[in-house]
Coordinates of all heavy atoms in Angstrom, one line a residue:
M743 N 16.3 -14.1 6.0 CA 17.2 -13.4 5.1 C 18.4 -13.0 6.0 O 18.3 -12.3 7.0 CB 16.5 -12.2 4.5 CG 17.4 -11.4 3.6 SD 17.4 -12.1 2.0 CE 18.9 -11.3 1.4
D744 N 19.6 -13.4 5.6 CA 20.8 -13.0 6.3 C 21.1 -11.5 6.1 O 21.2 -11.0 4.9 CB 22.0 -13.8 5.7 CG 23.3 -13.6 6.5 OD1 23.4 -12.7 7.2 OD2 24.2 -14.5 6.3
H745 N 21.2 -10.8 7.2 CA 21.4 -9.3 7.1 C 22.8 -9.0 6.4 O 22.9 -7.9 5.8 CB 21.3 -8.7 8.4 CG 19.9 -8.7 9.0 ND1 18.9 -7.9 8.5 CD2 19.3 -9.5 9.9 CE1 17.8 -8.2 9.1 NE2 18.0 -9.1 9.9
R746 N 23.8 -9.8 6.5 CA 25.0 -9.6 5.8 C 24.9 -9.6 4.3 O 25.4 -8.8 3.6 CB 26.1 -10.6 6.2 CG 26.5 -10.5 7.7 CD 27.4 -11.6 8.1 NE 26.6 -12.8 8.1 CZ 27.1 -14.0 8.3 NH1 28.4 -14.2 8.5 NH2 26.3 -15.1 8.3
L747 N 24.0 -10.5 3.8 CA 23.7 -10.6 2.4 C 23.0 -9.3 2.0 O 23.2 -8.8 0.9 CB 22.9 -11.8 2.1 CG 22.5 -12.0 0.6 CD1 23.7 -12.1 -0.3 CD2 21.6 -13.2 0.5
L748 N 22.0 -8.9 2.8 CA 21.3 -7.7 2.5 C 22.1 -6.5 2.3 O 21.8 -5.6 1.5 CB 20.2 -7.5 3.6 CG 19.1 -6.5 3.3 CD1 18.4 -6.8 2.0 CD2 18.1 -6.4 4.4
E749 N 23.3 -6.4 3.0 CA 24.2 -5.3 2.9 C 24.9 -5.2 1.6 O 25.3 -4.1 1.1 CB 25.2 -5.3 4.0 CG 24.6 -5.1 5.4 CD 25.7 -5.3 6.5 OE1 26.9 -5.4 6.2 OE2 25.3 -5.3 7.7
I750 N 25.1 -6.4 0.9 CA 25.8 -6.4 -0.4 C 25.0 -6.5 -1.6 O 25.4 -6.2 -2.7 CB 26.9 -7.4 -0.3 CG1 26.3 -8.8 -0.2 CG2 27.9 -7.1 0.7 CD1 27.3 -10.0 -0.3
V751 N 23.7 -7.0 -1.5 CA 22.9 -7.3 -2.6 C 22.3 -5.9 -3.1 O 22.0 -5.0 -2.2 CB 21.8 -8.3 -2.3 CG1 20.7 -7.8 -1.4 CG2 21.2 -8.8 -3.6
A752 N 22.1 -5.8 -4.4 CA 21.5 -4.5 -4.9 C 20.5 -4.8 -6.0 O 20.4 -5.9 -6.5 CB 22.7 -3.7 -5.5
C753 N 19.7 -3.8 -6.2 CA 18.7 -3.9 -7.3 C 19.4 -4.1 -8.6 O 20.3 -3.3 -9.0 CB 17.8 -2.7 -7.3 SG 16.6 -2.6 -8.7
P754 N 19.0 -5.1 -9.4 CA 19.6 -5.3 -10.7 C 19.2 -4.3 -11.7 O 19.9 -4.1 -12.7 CB 19.1 -6.7 -11.1 CG 17.8 -6.9 -10.4 CD 18.0 -6.1 -9.1
V755 N 18.2 -3.5 -11.5 CA 17.8 -2.5 -12.5 C 18.6 -1.2 -12.2 O 19.2 -0.6 -13.1 CB 16.3 -2.2 -12.4 CG1 15.8 -1.1 -13.3 CG2 15.5 -3.5 -12.7
C756 N 18.6 -0.7 -11.0 CA 19.2 0.6 -10.7 C 20.4 0.5 -9.8 O 21.0 1.6 -9.5 CB 18.1 1.5 -10.0 SG 17.7 1.1 -8.3
T757 N 20.7 -0.6 -9.3 CA 21.8 -0.9 -8.4 C 21.6 -0.2 -7.0 O 22.6 0.0 -6.3 CB 23.2 -0.6 -9.0 OG1 23.4 0.8 -9.1 CG2 23.5 -1.3 -10.2
G758 N 20.4 0.1 -6.8 CA 20.1 0.8 -5.5 C 19.9 -0.2 -4.4 O 20.0 -1.4 -4.5
R759 N 19.7 0.3 -3.2 CA 19.5 -0.5 -2.0 C 18.2 -1.2 -2.0 O 17.2 -0.7 -2.4 CB 19.6 0.4 -0.8 CG 19.5 -0.3 0.5 CD 19.8 0.7 1.7 NE 19.8 -0.1 2.9 CZ 19.1 0.3 4.0 NH1 18.4 1.4 4.0 NH2 19.0 -0.5 5.1
L760 N 18.2 -2.4 -1.5 CA 17.0 -3.2 -1.3 C 16.6 -3.4 0.2 O 17.5 -3.5 1.0 CB 17.2 -4.6 -1.9 CG 17.4 -4.7 -3.4 CD1 17.8 -6.1 -3.9 CD2 16.2 -4.2 -4.2
I761 N 15.3 -3.4 0.4 CA 14.8 -3.5 1.8 C 14.1 -4.8 1.9 O 13.2 -5.1 1.0 CB 13.9 -2.3 2.1 CG1 14.6 -1.0 2.0 CG2 13.3 -2.4 3.5 CD1 13.8 0.2 1.9
F762 N 14.3 -5.5 3.0 CA 13.7 -6.8 3.1 C 12.3 -6.7 3.8 O 12.2 -6.1 4.9 CB 14.6 -7.7 4.0 CG 14.0 -9.1 4.3 CD1 13.6 -9.9 3.2 CD2 13.9 -9.5 5.6 CE1 13.1 -11.2 3.5 CE2 13.4 -10.8 5.8 CZ 13.0 -11.6 4.8
N763 N 11.3 -7.3 3.2 CA 10.0 -7.3 3.8 C 9.8 -8.7 4.3 O 9.5 -9.7 3.5 CB 8.9 -7.0 2.7 CG 7.5 -7.0 3.3 OD1 7.2 -7.8 4.1 ND2 6.7 -6.1 2.8
K764 N 9.9 -8.9 5.6 CA 9.9 -10.2 6.2 C 8.5 -10.9 6.0 O 8.4 -12.1 5.7 CB 10.2 -10.1 7.7 CG 10.4 -11.5 8.3 CD 10.8 -11.3 9.8 CE 11.0 -12.7 10.4 NZ 11.5 -12.5 11.8
E765 N 7.4 -10.1 6.2 CA 6.1 -10.6 6.1 C 5.8 -11.2 4.7 O 5.2 -12.3 4.6 CB 5.1 -9.4 6.3 CG 3.6 -9.8 6.3 CD 2.7 -8.7 6.6 OE1 2.8 -8.1 7.7 OE2 1.9 -8.3 5.7
K766 N 6.2 -10.5 3.6 CA 5.9 -11.0 2.3 C 7.1 -11.8 1.7 O 7.0 -12.3 0.5 CB 5.6 -9.8 1.4 CG 4.3 -9.2 1.7 CD 3.9 -8.1 0.7 CE 2.5 -7.5 1.1 NZ 2.1 -6.5 0.1
Q767 N 8.2 -11.8 2.4 CA 9.4 -12.5 1.9 C 9.8 -12.0 0.5 O 9.9 -12.7 -0.5 CB 9.2 -14.0 1.8 CG 9.1 -14.7 3.2 CD 10.4 -14.6 4.0 OE1 11.3 -15.2 3.5 NE2 10.4 -13.9 5.1
E768 N 10.0 -10.7 0.5 CA 10.4 -10.0 -0.7 C 11.5 -9.0 -0.4 O 11.6 -8.5 0.7 CB 9.2 -9.2 -1.3 CG 8.1 -10.1 -1.8 CD 6.9 -9.2 -2.3 OE1 6.6 -8.2 -1.7 OE2 6.3 -9.7 -3.3
L769 N 12.3 -8.7 -1.5 CA 13.3 -7.6 -1.4 C 12.7 -6.4 -2.2 O 12.3 -6.6 -3.4 CB 14.6 -8.0 -2.0 CG 15.3 -9.0 -1.1 CD1 16.6 -9.5 -1.9 CD2 15.7 -8.5 0.2
I770 N 12.6 -5.3 -1.6 CA 11.9 -4.1 -2.1 C 12.9 -3.1 -2.6 O 13.8 -2.7 -1.9 CB 11.0 -3.5 -1.1 CG1 10.0 -4.5 -0.5 CG2 10.2 -2.3 -1.7 CD1 9.0 -5.1 -1.4
C771 N 12.7 -2.6 -3.9 CA 13.4 -1.5 -4.4 C 12.4 -0.3 -4.5 O 11.5 -0.3 -5.4 CB 14.0 -1.8 -5.7 SG 14.9 -0.3 -6.4
K772 N 12.5 0.7 -3.6 CA 11.6 1.8 -3.6 C 11.8 2.7 -4.8 O 10.8 3.2 -5.4 CB 11.7 2.6 -2.3 CG 11.1 1.9 -1.1 CD 11.1 2.7 0.1 CE 10.4 2.0 1.2 NZ 10.3 2.9 2.4
A773 N 13.0 2.8 -5.3 CA 13.3 3.7 -6.4 C 12.6 3.2 -7.7 O 12.1 4.0 -8.5 CB 14.8 3.7 -6.7
D774 N 12.6 1.9 -7.9 CA 12.0 1.3 -9.1 C 10.6 0.8 -8.9 O 10.0 0.3 -9.9 CB 12.9 0.2 -9.7 CG 14.2 0.7 -10.2 OD1 14.2 1.7 -10.9 OD2 15.2 0.0 -10.0
R775 N 10.2 0.8 -7.7 CA 8.8 0.3 -7.3 C 8.7 -1.2 -7.7 O 7.7 -1.6 -8.2 CB 7.7 1.1 -7.9 CG 7.7 2.6 -7.4 CD 6.6 3.4 -8.0 NE 5.7 2.6 -8.8 CZ 4.7 3.0 -9.5 NH1 4.4 4.3 -9.5 NH2 3.9 2.3 -10.2
L776 N 9.7 -2.0 -7.3 CA 9.7 -3.4 -7.6 C 9.9 -4.2 -6.4 O 10.6 -3.8 -5.5 CB 10.8 -3.7 -8.7 CG 10.7 -3.2 -10.0 CD1 11.9 -3.4 -10.9 CD2 9.4 -3.7 -10.7
A777 N 9.3 -5.4 -6.4 CA 9.5 -6.3 -5.2 C 10.0 -7.7 -5.8 O 9.3 -8.3 -6.7 CB 8.2 -6.5 -4.5
Y778 N 11.2 -8.1 -5.4 CA 11.8 -9.3 -5.8 C 11.5 -10.4 -4.8 O 11.7 -10.2 -3.6 CB 13.3 -9.1 -6.0 CG 13.7 -8.1 -7.0 CD1 13.9 -6.8 -6.6 CD2 13.8 -8.4 -8.3 CE1 14.3 -5.8 -7.6 CE2 14.1 -7.5 -9.3 CZ 14.3 -6.2 -8.9 OH 14.7 -5.2 -9.8
P779 N 11.0 -11.6 -5.3 CA 10.6 -12.6 -4.4 C 11.9 -13.4 -3.8 O 12.9 -13.4 -4.4 CB 9.8 -13.6 -5.3 CG 10.4 -13.4 -6.6 CD 10.8 -11.9 -6.7
L780 N 11.6 -14.0 -2.7 CA 12.6 -15.0 -2.2 C 12.0 -16.4 -2.3 O 10.8 -16.6 -2.0 CB 12.9 -14.7 -0.7 CG 14.0 -13.8 -0.3 CD1 13.8 -12.4 -0.8 CD2 14.4 -13.9 1.1
R781 N 12.7 -17.3 -2.9 CA 12.3 -18.7 -3.0 C 13.2 -19.6 -2.3 O 14.4 -19.6 -2.6 CB 12.2 -19.0 -4.5 CG 11.2 -18.2 -5.2 CD 10.7 -18.8 -6.6 NE 9.8 -17.9 -7.2 CZ 10.0 -17.4 -8.4 NH1 11.1 -17.6 -9.1 NH2 9.1 -16.6 -8.9
D782 N 12.7 -20.3 -1.3 CA 13.5 -21.1 -0.5 C 14.7 -20.3 0.2 O 15.8 -20.8 0.3 CB 14.1 -22.3 -1.2 CG 12.9 -23.2 -1.7 OD1 11.9 -23.4 -1.0 OD2 13.1 -23.7 -2.9
G783 N 14.4 -19.1 0.5 CA 15.4 -18.2 1.2 C 16.4 -17.6 0.2 O 17.3 -16.9 0.6
I784 N 16.3 -17.8 -1.1 CA 17.2 -17.3 -2.1 C 16.5 -16.2 -2.9 O 15.5 -16.4 -3.4 CB 17.7 -18.4 -3.0 CG1 18.3 -19.5 -2.3 CG2 18.6 -17.9 -4.1 CD1 18.6 -20.8 -3.0
P785 N 17.2 -15.0 -2.9 CA 16.6 -13.9 -3.7 C 16.6 -14.2 -5.2 O 17.6 -14.6 -5.7 CB 17.5 -12.7 -3.4 CG 18.4 -13.1 -2.3 CD 18.4 -14.6 -2.2
V786 N 15.5 -13.9 -5.8 CA 15.4 -14.1 -7.3 C 15.4 -12.6 -7.8 O 14.4 -12.0 -7.9 CB 14.0 -14.8 -7.7 CG1 14.0 -14.9 -9.2 CG2 13.9 -16.1 -7.0
L787 N 16.6 -12.2 -8.2 CA 16.8 -10.8 -8.6 C 16.8 -10.7 -10.1 O 17.7 -10.3 -10.8 CB 18.2 -10.3 -8.1 CG 18.3 -10.3 -6.5 CD1 19.6 -9.9 -6.1 CD2 17.2 -9.3 -6.0
L788 N 15.7 -11.1 -10.7 CA 15.4 -10.9 -12.1 C 14.3 -10.0 -12.3 O 13.2 -10.1 -11.7 CB 15.1 -12.3 -12.7 CG 16.1 -13.4 -12.6 CD1 15.5 -14.7 -13.1 CD2 17.3 -13.0 -13.5
E789 N 14.5 -9.0 -13.1 CA 13.4 -8.0 -13.4 C 12.1 -8.7 -13.8 O 11.0 -8.2 -13.5 CB 13.9 -7.0 -14.4 CG 12.9 -5.8 -14.5 CD 13.4 -4.7 -15.5 OE1 14.5 -4.9 -16.1 OE2 12.7 -3.7 -15.6
T790 N 12.2 -9.7 -14.6 CA 11.0 -10.4 -15.1 C 10.3 -11.2 -14.0 O 9.1 -11.5 -14.2 CB 11.4 -11.4 -16.2 OG1 12.4 -12.3 -15.7 CG2 12.0 -10.7 -17.4
E791 N 10.9 -11.4 -12.9 CA 10.3 -12.1 -11.8 C 9.7 -11.2 -10.7 O 9.0 -11.6 -9.9 CB 11.3 -13.1 -11.1 CG 11.7 -14.2 -12.0 CD 10.6 -15.3 -12.2 OE1 9.8 -15.5 -11.3 OE2 10.5 -15.8 -13.3
A792 N 10.1 -9.9 -10.8 CA 9.7 -8.9 -9.9 C 8.2 -8.5 -10.1 O 7.8 -8.5 -11.3 CB 10.6 -7.7 -9.9
R793 N 7.6 -8.1 -9.1 CA 6.2 -7.5 -9.2 C 6.3 -6.0 -9.0 O 7.2 -5.5 -8.2 CB 5.2 -8.2 -8.3 CG 5.4 -7.9 -6.9 CD 4.3 -8.5 -6.0 NE 4.5 -8.1 -4.6 CZ 4.0 -7.0 -4.1 NH1 3.2 -6.2 -4.8 NH2 4.2 -6.8 -2.8
T794 N 5.4 -5.3 -9.6 CA 5.4 -3.8 -9.4 C 4.6 -3.5 -8.2 O 3.6 -4.1 -7.9 CB 4.7 -3.2 -10.6 OG1 5.4 -3.5 -11.8 CG2 4.7 -1.7 -10.5
L795 N 5.2 -2.6 -7.4 CA 4.5 -2.3 -6.1 C 3.4 -1.3 -6.4 O 3.4 -0.4 -7.2 CB 5.5 -1.6 -5.2 CG 6.7 -2.4 -4.7 CD1 7.7 -1.5 -3.9 CD2 6.2 -3.5 -3.8
A796 N 2.3 -1.5 -5.6 CA 1.2 -0.6 -5.6 C 1.6 0.7 -4.9 O 2.5 0.7 -4.1 CB 0.0 -1.2 -4.9
P797 N 1.0 1.9 -5.3 CA 1.4 3.1 -4.7 C 1.3 3.2 -3.1 O 2.2 3.8 -2.5 CB 0.4 4.2 -5.2 CG 0.0 3.6 -6.6 CD 0.0 2.1 -6.3
D798 N 0.4 2.4 -2.5 CA 0.3 2.4 -1.1 C 1.4 1.6 -0.4 O 1.7 1.7 0.7 CB -1.1 2.0 -0.6 CG -1.4 0.5 -1.1 OD1 -0.9 0.1 -2.1 OD2 -2.1 -0.2 -0.3
E799 N 2.0 0.7 -1.2 CA 3.1 -0.2 -0.6 C 4.4 0.6 -0.6 O 5.3 0.2 0.2 CB 3.3 -1.4 -1.5 CG 2.2 -2.4 -1.4 CD 2.4 -3.6 -2.3 OE1 2.4 -3.4 -3.6 OE2 2.6 -4.7 -1.8
I800 N 4.6 1.6 -1.4 CA 5.9 2.3 -1.4 C 6.1 3.1 -0.2 O 7.2 3.2 0.3 CB 5.9 3.2 -2.7 CG1 5.9 2.3 -3.9 CG2 7.1 4.1 -2.7 CD1 5.6 3.1 -5.2
A801 N 5.0 3.7 0.4 CA 5.1 4.5 1.6 C 5.5 3.7 2.8 O 5.9 4.3 3.8 CB 3.8 5.3 1.8
Q802 N 5.3 2.4 2.8 CA 5.6 1.6 4.0 C 7.0 1.6 4.4 O 8.0 1.4 4.1 CB 5.0 0.2 3.9 CG 3.5 0.2 3.7 CD 3.0 -1.2 3.5 OE1 3.7 -2.1 3.3 NE2 1.7 -1.2 3.4

């Protein structure tokens, strides 16, 4: 994930900051507790494609 892209991309639900999880290849929105997948290095920023984070994943 290009860090320059990470600086300008935002959560489509709340427009908040996203955090890159390299291990899971996801962009995390802690405010909405959503994880957006990366497919072939491209963020899929659709709420319908996001998974809900478990409570223990938010603290990380």
Side-chain angles (χ1 to χ4, degrees):
M743 179 82 200
D744 187 344
H745 291 287
R746 292 174 292 177
L747 178 61
L748 192 55
E749 291 176 11
I750 60 172
V751 73
C753 174
V755 177
C756 71
T757 68
R759 183 170 181 231
L760 295 173
I761 300 166
F762 179 55
N763 182 323
K764 187 175 182 179
E765 181 180 299
K766 292 187 179 183
Q767 291 293 297
E768 295 177 323
L769 292 174
I770 307 294
C771 177
K772 288 187 176 185
D774 293 317
R775 299 180 6 182
L776 294 173
Y778 297 94
L780 266 68
R781 294 197 183 120
D782 298 322
I784 300 170
V786 181
L787 297 176
L788 299 171
E789 186 177 4
T790 57
E791 293 290 322
R793 70 176 182 88
T794 303
L795 295 172
D798 63 328
E799 291 180 292
I800 297 169
Q802 295 177 356

